[in-house]
Amino acid sequence: MILTGIIGCGSIARGRHIPAYVQNPHTRLAAIYDPVPGRAAREAEQYGAVPYENLEEMLAHPGLMAVSVCTPEKYHRDTVIAALKSGKHVLCEKPMAVNLKQAVEMKETAEKSGRLLMISHNQRIYEPHWKAKQLIEEGAVGKVLSFRTFLSHNGPENSVTDSGQMGNYYDRAEGNGGVMLSVGCHRIDLIPWMLGRKIISVMACTPTLDKRTSDGCLIRNEDTAMILLKCEGGITGMLYTGWCTYGCTDRETHIFGTEGVIKTFEDPWSVTLYKKSGEKVYYDLSPWAEKGSGGATAIVDKFIECIAGKKPSFVPAGEGIECMQVLEAVRESDRTGRWVDVSR
Ligand SMILES: NC(=O)c1ccc[n+]([C@@H]2O[C@H](COP(=O)([O-])OP(=O)(O)OC[C@H]3O[C@@H](n4cnc5c(N)ncnc54)[C@H](O)[C@@H]3O)[C@@H](O)[C@H]2O)c1
């Protein structure tokens, strides 16, 4: 039995990581830490885990082997490094860190510690995404030429359940980055994984259009991002992400090939293959929306499989770093107004 723990007991921990560890037959949720008094205790009580309000004490919990780091982005580096140094395997929420330097330090610490550091880029486990990847690999759309990928919603203030206790989300989010780091990173990870091609250069426009702090000023970080991306093999595409999509959520990805088009999430939880011949093949993946990746516990299951030595890391730290490298290139491109190569 693998004893697991949670660091940062907010919405992603409660909605995803805790249920996943509780359901996984190979794990027992043993310890929960959150610095906000009472927050860890509230969850721990339900699951028979020990609550902590001190990180060192939590990491010293007897037999604790693995932890999920579910803190805000700006605390990932310090928390992950502390957990690795104490001998724990770590599943770190996305984005890996707030900048490349931090991410590299985290990976180096993992290597020195001999412990697993996996990044929770969970969009890879969504059925429409792996179905699209499978179709691409089978050659269903011939040679891939281009893509467009969208991921946008009405802003974290409308989904982060703890924000009410902590004031305006954007007041406290300073230091966590903007929408590109928070949301766009999902697709910066997804596209190379889906296409099997790395992103090699970017051209970015990342404005702040509508989100404000409580004093009425526009937030310092971007709330919208439009990126052109060049990938290996000459594939060129575009990414749109934003916190200013009001009235619906946009999460479609389209892959354009010489023999047709793949569209994910055109309907919720579906993939549609449009063939050059005019034939249309619809894959209804809705049964998975509740039970499979829709329940979104699968990333934790993958983490546990890796620890148990059954499978290689599903999202190795090195791939978290590649995502951070692209994000740095995006920042540079927005600053200079130029195409920027992704340095390796
Ligand atoms: N994979 C996804 O789809 C997805 C979705 C939402 C959020 N996230 C990521 O999950 C992480 C947490 O987001 P959230 O929405 O749960 O935020 P949240 O604000 O709801 O929860 C964060 C929790 O961390 C605690 N915390 C703050 N500082 C801490 C510290 N130094 N050490 C330990 N705990 C600390 C807070 O008290 C809070 O309970 C972020 O990295 C975010 O990007 C991922």
Side-chain angles (χ1 to χ4, degrees):
M1 187 62 67
I2 297 171
L3 265 57
T4 58
I6 297 285
I7 300 179
C9 191
S11 55
I12 199 74
R14 293 199 307 270
R16 204 168 284 170
H17 293 254
I18 291 176
Y21 287 124
V22 170
Q23 284 166 33
N24 189 300
H26 307 292
T27 63
R28 182 162 68 76
L29 183 61
I32 302 181
Y33 160 66
D34 197 289
V36 175
R39 192 168 285 179
R42 202 174 54 199
E43 296 306 305
E45 244 175 46
Q46 292 182 49
Y47 302 108
V50 178
Y52 291 93
E53 291 177 6
N54 176 294
L55 180 59
E56 279 173 27
E57 287 172 17
M58 185 260 196
L59 290 173
H61 183 97
L64 190 67
M65 276 183 71
V67 294
S68 277
V69 170
C70 303
T71 69
E73 290 82 334
K74 61 184 168 187
Y75 304 117
H76 285 186
R77 174 198 170 275
D78 288 354
T79 319
V80 165
I81 287 178
L84 288 166
K85 283 187 170 168
S86 78
K88 309 298 176 288
H89 301 289
V90 178
L91 175 60
C92 175
E93 260 306 335
K94 52 52 59 180
M96 183 170 178
V98 293
N99 59 45
L100 179 60
K101 183 171 173 283
Q102 290 186 350
V104 169
E105 285 170 25
M106 291 156 73
K107 179 170 178 278
E108 285 172 358
T109 308
E111 284 163 358
K112 276 187 203 140
S113 71
R115 294 296 182 267
L116 174 71
L117 171 58
M118 183 171 131
I119 312 304
S120 186
H121 279 299
N122 60 309
Q123 295 253 324
R124 297 185 184 195
I125 53 160
Y126 284 11
E127 276 74 11
H129 292 153
W130 63 250
K131 184 70 195 171
K133 178 177 172 62
Q134 185 189 38
L135 289 169
I136 291 165
E137 285 170 358
E138 288 169 357
V141 289
K143 180 179 184 305
V144 174
L145 301 172
S146 63
F147 62 87
R148 63 175 187 234
T149 186
F150 296 164
L151 190 58
S152 59
H153 56 69
N154 59 359
E157 73 276 23
N158 293 303
S159 56
V160 175
T161 52
D162 294 327
S163 58
Q165 296 166 31
M166 302 173 87
N168 182 318
Y169 173 84
Y170 299 106
D171 293 341
R172 73 183 169 96
E174 204 57 68
N176 283 338
V179 72
M180 203 48 219
L181 192 67
S182 176
V183 184
C185 74
H186 276 303
R187 296 306 168 86
I188 293 290
D189 173 73
L190 185 76
I191 288 294
W193 174 80
M194 194 184 267
L195 300 179
R197 307 280 184 165
K198 290 186 196 301
I199 296 166
I200 54 176
S201 63
V202 297
M203 174 74 174
C205 171
T206 64
T208 309
L209 301 177
D210 196 43
K211 294 302 183 188
R212 292 175 189 276
T213 49
S214 54
D215 58 7
C217 296
L218 283 172
I219 60 173
R220 273 207 312 207
N221 295 314
E222 79 285 351
D223 60 18
T224 304
M226 289 150 272
I227 320 288
L228 297 175
L229 307 112
K230 288 183 191 163
C231 298
E232 292 170 332
I235 302 170
T236 306
M238 59 170 288
L239 180 156
Y240 178 92
T241 189
W243 281 329
C244 306
T245 299
Y246 302 114
C248 71
T249 297
D250 190 344
R251 51 182 174 171
E252 292 184 32
T253 296
H254 300 176
I255 306 292
F256 305 101
T258 52
E259 300 300 321
V261 177
I262 294 167
K263 296 189 179 184
T264 68
F265 284 104
E266 210 180 11
D267 290 333
W269 298 93
S270 70
V271 169
T272 311
L273 170 62
Y274 295 84
K275 296 192 186 175
K276 202 178 184 176
S277 61
E279 190 190 344
K280 178 176 159 184
V281 187
Y282 179 75
Y283 300 91
D284 177 9
L285 301 167
S286 54
W288 292 99
E290 291 301 320
K291 287 187 182 159
S293 58
T297 55
I299 195 79
V300 167
D301 296 339
K302 296 270 184 209
F303 175 56
I304 296 302
E305 278 175 9
C306 299
I307 294 174
K310 290 181 192 153
K311 300 241 168 97
S313 179
F314 186 60
V315 189
E319 291 175 22
I321 286 191
E322 284 174 15
C323 178
M324 297 306 303
Q325 286 168 324
V326 177
L327 290 167
E328 299 257 313
V330 163
R331 277 190 201 127
E332 175 73 3
S333 173
D334 184 65
R335 198 178 60 76
T336 60
R338 300 209 169 132
W339 279 94
V340 171
D341 290 342
V342 178
S343 52
R344 305 261 170 224

